[in-house]
Amino acid sequence: MGEDAIARARELRLAGLAHNTAGRHARAARSLHAALKLLPEPASSRDADAVRVACLLTLAMAELTTAGLDAALARIGEAGGLVGGDPELTARWRCQRGNVLLRAGDFAAAAPDLAVVRAEPQWFSSAERAAIGLSLGSIAFELGRPAEALTVWSDASRLASEIGDDRLLFMAEHNLGYARYLNGDLPGALAAISAADALPADVFRGPSLFSLGRVLGEAGLLDRAIEVLDRAREVSRPDRMLRAEIERERAVVLRLTGDYDEAAAAARSARNRFARLGATGPASTAALIVLDCDLSRGRRLRAVLDGSLLLDEVARELGDTDLAARSVAVAAEAAARLGRPDVARAALRRYPAGSHGLVIQLRRVYAAAVTDLASGRSPRHRLAAAARDLAASQAVSASLDSRAARKVLSLRLADLDVGLAVGRGPTDVLRTLERWSSLGLPVVRPPEDPRQADLTQRLRSLSQAVRDEPGGPATAARRAEMASLQQELTDIGLAQRQDASSAAPLPGLAEALPALTTTDRDLLWLFPHDGGLWGVGVAAGRRRLARLADLDRCLETTRRLQADLRALAYQPSGPLRDAIGASLRSGLAWLDEVVVRPWRRRSAGLVVVGTHAVASVPWGMLPSLAGVPVTVARSVTEWAGRRLEVVRPPVEVVVGPGLRFASAEAAEVASAWADARVHPDARAADLVSALASPGVVHVAAHGQHQPASPLFSSLRMADGDVFAHELPTGDVRAGHVVLSACDVGTAQVRPGDEPLGLAHTLLSLGVGSVVAAVAPVPDDETASVMAAYHAGLARGLPSDEALAATPPSAFVALGAPWRANPRPHPAP
C-alpha cells in the first residue's frame, strides 16, 4: 500500500509540474496537495522524502504565482528541512530556491543557487539542465550581460533540440529572440520569436506573448506592443505574477506613447500586484514608472529625485542592473530640472555598464543632455552621436514599419536638438533636421521569402473575392482572414534584415544646398517647434528661419482640406458642391498666406520638406504656386542626391481593370513617347516586372490608401490587388513612377514625421521620383492631366516643371526631379 501511495504521489507531482508549465497554477497546487496527503510522515523512508521534497519544490513555484513570495519561501524552507545531507536533494533544493528568487526579481540571491547546475551537473537530466539554463540566461540578461545570456540560451536551445523537447526549445528560442534584440539585432530577434511560435509545443503562451510585447515596445512598434500585451494578459489570468509583469510592461509602452495618466495607472496596478506577491524587485520597477510619469508631466520633481535614488539602491541590492540604469536616468533628469547638475552628474556616474536595450540607452542620453544644459555645457555632440547610433540600428531592418517605428524612440532627443538649433540660426537647424530625418532614408532591400509570396497571393485572392461579393455570406470570414494575413505578413517583414552598406551615399548638406541655386529652386523645410509650424531653408539664395503659423490651426486646416477634396471629387453640381468648393478655396488661401507667401516673393521652383501638419497638401493648388514647379522631398540631401537625367528612357504603361478612360489615358501617354510598351489588363506580375525597368512606369489603375495599415495600400490589377508591402520583394529599379488614379499619394504620417503609404514605399525602395495624387481626382480630369504631363516630360522638362505645366490638381511630385533626355548625347 505504501509503495502504491508513493507511486501515485509521483504521478500527481508530475501532473502538478505539467499544470505549472501550462500556466495552470491553481490546478497544479491541487494536484500537489493531493500528492502530499498520500505520503507517509517525513523521515519514514528516503523514497517518500524524495517525493515529498519534489512536491514541495514544485508547489513553491505554483504558490509564488498564486499566494506570493512568502508562501513560496515557506515551501522552500519546509523542503530544506527534509534534504538532510543528501547531495542530490540539496542541489535540487538550491535550484528551485534560485528559480523562486529569480521570479521575485532578486537576481543577486538567485545566481549562486542556480549555479549549482554547473558545479554539480550529475544530479540533473539533460532536460533539467536545459530548463535551468533558461533561468541562468535570464539572470545574465537582467544583470546587463546580454552577450552571456545569448550564449547560455543558445546552449539551452541546442540541448533542448538534441533531446527533442519542443517545450524547452520554444522557451529557449523566445529568450534568444530578446537577447538578440538587446545585442542590436531587431530583425534577428523577431525572426527567432517567429520561429519559436511555429514550433508544435504544448506550452503556456503567456510568457512568449509577454516577451514579444517587450521586443515590439523596445522597437517602437507601440500599438502592436499594446495589442500583444493585451492578448498576453487575457491568456495569463491564472498567473498572478505574470499578469503583474504584463501590466508593468504595458505601463512602459503607454509612457512611450505619451499617455502618462494611463501609464501611471497601469504601473500602480502592477506595483500593488507585485507587493501583494512579495516581489520587491518587480514592485520597485513599477514604482519607478510612476515616478517617470510624474517627471514627464513636470510634477513632484523633488519626490521623483528622492524616490529614484532610493530605487537605485534597491536595484543594486537585488542585482537588477536594468532597474539601476532606469533609476539613474530618471534621477539625473529630475536633478537637472531642479537645477542641481552636481547631483545629476553624480547619478549618471552610477550608470551600470552593459547593454540595457535601446530605450534605456536613449533615456540615458537624454538625461545626460539635460544635465549638460543645467551645467552650462552643450549636449549637441551627445545628440549627434545618438542619432548616428539610432540610424545604424535602423538601417539593418528591411521593414518600413520597423524603421518608421524606431523614430518614435528618438522624438524627445530630436525635439531637444532642434530646439537648441533654433537659437543658432537656419544653417544649424537645417543640419539638425537632416540629422534626424536621415533615420528613415536608407534604401530598403529585403530578401526574397517564398512564404511571404504565398501569403500575399492568398490575401490578393481574398481581397478580390470580397470585391466580387461584398455582401456575400462568406464576407465576414474573409475579412477576418485578411486581417490575420496582414498581421502575419507584417510580422514577417519585421523579421527581415538587409545589408545597408550597399546603399549609395547621399551628399552632405554643404553639397546639397548649392544644387538649389543651379536649378533655381527655393527650399522650405517645415517643422514643428514650441506649438508652432516653423520654416527653414533658402529663399532667393538667402537662408531663412521663421515661425509661420500656429501648429494646431495648421493641422485643423489641412484636415479640412483633405475632407473638402474628397467630397468635391464625388459631389455633383449644385449648392452643396459650391459650398464645398468655397471651403476648399478658403483653406488653400489660408495656407498660402501664412506658409508660402511670407517665405518667398518670386516665381522660382520650390522644394518642400513637410511635416505631419502639412501631410497630403496639394501644393500646386495653392494660389501663389499655380504654375510653379514644386517637389515634396523627404530631405534636401535626398532631393539633391536622387536627381536623375536619363537618355531615351524605357517607358512602361500598366493598365488595371475597371477604370474609366484608362485605355484613352494609356494611349495618350504612349503617344508621347517613341517606344512605350502598354500592358492592358495587367496582372500583378506585369506591374512588378515593369517596376524592374530603369525608366518611366505609368500606372493607370484603381488604388486604395489604407490609413490604419498604410503598407497595405494597394493598386488593383486584373488578378487582384498589389500591396505596398510586397513591392520591396521585387527588383525595383524604376527611376520615375506615375500613379495616376485615386489618392495613393496620400501618406499616413507616423510620429517622427515618417510617412507610410504606396508612393512613399516606392521612394524607400530607391525610386527617385514619384508623381501621385494626395486626394481623389475625377477620372476625366486625370486623363487630361496625365496627357499634358507626359507630353512635357517627353519634351525634356524635369518632372516638377512638367507637372506645373498641367492644370492645377491634387497631383504632387514626390522625391527628387527626374528628367528625360529624348536624344542621346553627341559623341565626344
Side-chain angles (χ1 to χ4, degrees), residues 768-780:
S769 174
V770 176
V771 165
V774 295
V777 180
D779 293 348
D780 54 346

Side-chain angles (χ1 to χ4, degrees), residues 219-252:
L221 294 155
L222 306 182
D223 291 343
R224 175 80 172 120
I226 290 292
E227 176 191 328
V228 170
L229 290 168
D230 285 345
R231 283 170 51 205
R233 187 168 56 176
E234 285 301 310
V235 302
S236 304
R237 289 188 181 278
D239 191 327
R240 294 170 61 194
M241 182 70 76
L242 182 57
R243 286 265 296 177
E245 290 173 331
I246 293 166
E247 196 67 14
R248 180 191 61 196
E249 195 62 32
R250 287 183 77 256
V252 170

